[in-house]
Amino acid sequence: MFHLLQLDGRKVCHTVSMDGMMDRRRFLRAGTAAAATLLLKPLEALAQTQDLGKKSERGNLEYIREQGIEVFRSECAVGGVTVDLLEFRKNGSRNEVLFVPHDNEDAAFDTALRSIAARGGSLFSFDSRGNRELRTNTGTRLNQDPNRMFKPGSQFWPLAEHVLGLINQRRRASNDVLNPYITLHNNAPIGSFTASIAKSFTDPRFEIFFSDPKNKRDVVWIALPNAERGTSHPLRVLAQQLQMRGINALIEYVRPEGSLDGSLSQYIARHTSQGYINIEAGIKPNDPPQLQTRAIQTSLLKNIFEIIEELRANPPTKTQNT
């Protein structure tokens, strides 16, 4: 049922749409253009082929069916291995595009899925068998953080480019600067994210808009080009308004030169002016279903969308060095 092609040694993914018709799309990879198709399978086919203990819908199968959310899968061959990318899609009033790269961050996934159900749009996530790092579609560990592959020339850059291509297809056809890329993450009490937050308070690359320092792991992480430092860029205004609402926010300013860490935030900030938003919620102790974490993350996302709608209706006057 799956078909993988090789064109001049280049990676190509195959897709079958819900009605079985082939959906051909243009796919840019490493500066070359290749006609490619992506293999999409309907929800029922996915449900039948997933391990019941680690379903790619993460225990939301009935909710997905009740809400009429369509589920698609892209099977992508990269360097001799195959990785599955999922899209959960529903038409709605806003049609936002969200990305949850880590398959073990269930509160982030649940929050994004419910946003898609309410507002419409697409949620992209990897099927990594419930793991943080990428896994093949047979479960083999690849030792690759999916949020560290957005770096041209890296081993999984073709996959990163493919993800970006799909996200861009779904985003509004607009040049409005207030059309940010949005991802959702969860973080643990001890780990690299906690260390990054602590470092940001003294790192000159960051601007801090915290109002709840006791809950530093619940934060809206924004990334912008360094040229936007001190300006009235809408996402800087967003950070200010989040702080006024009692929500932690920070801005990472990314320079046009120097090395990148492979994160989507740095890649977007270097290559677009639209900006990047990461909605982080810390996993709470004694909350195995992550319902408390999901509630916090849902509130963060709700506040972000409210402010974005206000700023779209009344764009801030463009100024420098505010």
Side-chain angles (χ1 to χ4, degrees):
M1 214 176 157
F2 294 111
H3 305 282
L4 297 175
L5 300 181
Q6 289 289 112
L7 295 182
D8 299 326
R10 294 194 289 268
K11 170 183 72 74
V12 176
C13 309
H14 248 31
T15 295
V16 175
S17 63
M18 293 286 285
D19 60 4
M21 300 296 291
M22 297 305 293
D23 178 17
R24 293 193 171 272
R25 299 170 183 158
R26 297 295 293 175
F27 173 20
L28 295 179
R29 190 179 60 75
T32 63
T37 56
L38 304 173
L39 183 57
L40 300 181
K41 294 179 66 179
L43 172 63
E44 292 298 328
L46 280 174
Q48 292 171 9
T49 58
Q50 298 303 312
D51 175 71
L52 294 179
K54 291 290 184 182
K55 296 192 296 292
S56 56
E57 66 274 359
R58 310 193 201 189
N60 288 287
L61 183 57
E62 291 304 319
Y63 181 80
I64 289 169
R65 287 170 170 161
E66 291 170 359
Q67 295 295 320
I69 298 172
E70 297 177 292
V71 184
F72 304 92
R73 173 161 66 186
S74 303
E75 189 176 71
C76 304
V78 185
V81 299
T82 303
V83 177
D84 288 346
L85 175 70
L86 302 175
E87 178 185 9
F88 300 81
R89 188 195 310 168
K90 182 179 181 179
N91 290 326
S93 60
R94 300 307 306 166
N95 290 326
E96 309 288 353
V97 181
L98 305 173
F99 180 37
V100 178
H102 294 130
D103 198 24
N104 66 332
E105 298 177 358
D106 289 344
F109 179 86
D110 291 351
T111 298
L113 186 68
R114 280 150 182 77
S115 176
I116 294 303
R119 297 171 61 87
S122 290
L123 160 61
F124 289 96
S125 68
F126 286 105
D127 182 1
S128 297
R129 303 300 192 269
N131 296 280
R132 177 181 178 84
E133 296 179 320
L134 287 176
R135 299 272 176 139
T136 68
N137 62 354
T138 58
T140 302
R141 181 178 176 179
L142 296 177
N143 295 317
Q144 175 64 51
D145 185 332
N147 195 37
R148 289 295 181 270
M149 65 182 185
F150 294 92
K151 187 175 183 179
S154 66
Q155 178 183 0
F156 287 91
W157 169 241
L159 178 61
E161 235 183 351
H162 172 55
V163 173
L164 285 168
L166 288 179
I167 289 175
N168 284 329
Q169 286 179 16
R170 298 287 181 262
R171 295 171 75 241
R172 290 191 183 85
S174 169
N175 292 321
D176 188 344
V177 72
L178 198 51
N179 189 19
Y181 293 77
I182 302 177
T183 67
L184 293 90
H185 288 268
N186 299 131
N187 60 79
I190 300 175
S192 59
F193 182 79
T194 304
S196 296
I197 288 293
K199 182 181 177 181
S200 68
F201 279 79
T202 57
D203 191 326
R205 296 175 302 167
F206 290 84
E207 187 175 11
I208 307 300
F209 298 87
F210 268 48
S211 59
D212 184 13
K214 292 183 179 180
N215 294 293
K216 294 179 181 179
R217 295 191 298 121
D218 301 328
V219 59
V220 178
W221 185 303
I222 297 168
L224 289 173
N226 191 62
E228 298 295 344
R229 183 188 296 271
T231 71
S232 60
H233 188 287
L235 293 194
R236 188 165 183 266
V237 177
L238 170 69
Q240 294 169 337
Q241 294 196 16
L242 287 171
Q243 184 180 35
M244 292 169 54
R245 293 188 181 205
I247 296 171
N248 295 328
L250 61 79
I251 301 177
E252 176 186 8
Y253 293 103
V254 179
R255 295 184 178 277
E257 71 286 336
S259 62
L260 299 174
D261 65 5
S263 63
L264 179 58
S265 60
Q266 290 191 1
Y267 181 85
I268 293 299
R270 176 165 291 185
H271 292 91
T272 81
S273 63
Q274 294 173 328
Y276 164 97
I277 297 175
N278 168 27
I279 304 167
E280 282 275 358
I283 298 173
K284 304 301 181 284
N286 304 316
D287 185 27
Q290 298 187 17
L291 295 179
Q292 183 182 358
T293 305
R294 187 176 83 188
I296 291 172
Q297 203 155 22
T298 298
S299 177
L300 293 177
L301 185 58
K302 178 177 179 291
N303 277 275
I304 286 170
F305 282 148
E306 286 177 356
I307 296 172
I308 284 179
E309 293 299 335
E310 293 170 2
L311 293 174
R312 282 174 176 158
N314 300 286
T317 303
K318 188 171 183 179
T319 61
Q320 299 290 332
N321 300 320
T322 59

